[in-house]
Amino acid sequence: MEQKVWLVTDASKEIGLQIVLEALKAGNIVVETLRDDKKFPQAVATELGETSKNLGAVEMAFDETSLNTTVAQVIAKYGRIDVLVNNAGYTLLGAVEEVELTDVKKNFDVNFFGLLSMTQAVLPQM
């Protein structure tokens, strides 16, 4: 079976980390986007006992320019992206009359527009 190139957004913990670990165990190449690229390789090393040679971590902000740059870098290095896991996101809790509009907009920027922008950047080459 051919090795696949995975791009996973924010997999430093929980389900994203588990997806990355399983993809690596299956022999795939995984590039993970992070807000802090120093945290992820340690998480994988802890889980696998060593940092996989098939793992890449890229620090990325959630703006369109950063997303497009990251996708271009992954394609330049590996030639393609076969699997995209849009895992980045966060919860905003509070009563509708209590949450700040700026916080709601930031939440939408990450949870909706970030997912949409990443999909639009990756899909054409799939």
Side-chain angles (χ1 to χ4, degrees):
M1 182 156 100
E2 185 181 341
Q3 191 177 45
K4 297 204 180 292
V5 178
W6 290 54
L7 178 59
V8 182
T9 62
D10 194 16
S12 58
K13 59 186 176 191
E14 299 165 356
I15 194 167
L17 176 59
Q18 293 307 310
I19 289 170
V20 169
L21 292 171
E22 291 303 314
L24 288 170
K25 288 177 189 174
N28 295 298
I29 296 167
V30 179
V31 178
E32 207 284 330
T33 66
L34 304 156
R35 286 173 273 169
D36 180 356
D37 68 355
K38 294 168 188 69
K39 291 182 182 178
F40 183 68
Q42 183 56 47
V44 171
T46 301
E47 292 292 325
L48 292 179
E50 64 180 58
T51 302
S52 173
K53 67 181 183 331
N54 290 338
L55 173 67
V58 177
E59 193 169 341
M60 183 184 78
F62 288 97
D63 60 72
E64 195 168 344
T65 301
S66 184
L67 296 175
N68 288 327
T69 299
T70 298
V71 169
Q73 288 173 341
V74 174
I75 293 169
K77 184 169 183 176
Y78 299 106
R80 67 190 192 285
I81 297 170
D82 300 305
V83 179
L84 170 63
V85 179
N86 268 316
N87 183 63
Y90 72 95
T91 303
L92 176 63
L93 299 175
V96 71
E97 69 273 13
E98 294 174 352
V99 294
E100 295 292 327
L101 186 57
T102 55
D103 292 335
V104 174
K105 287 180 179 182
K106 183 178 175 186
N107 185 267
F108 269 78
D109 281 344
V110 172
N111 293 346
F112 179 78
F113 293 109
L115 181 143
L116 178 63
S117 295
M118 182 60 83
T119 302
Q120 288 178 329
V122 172
L123 198 56
Q125 64 80 52
M126 286 184 144

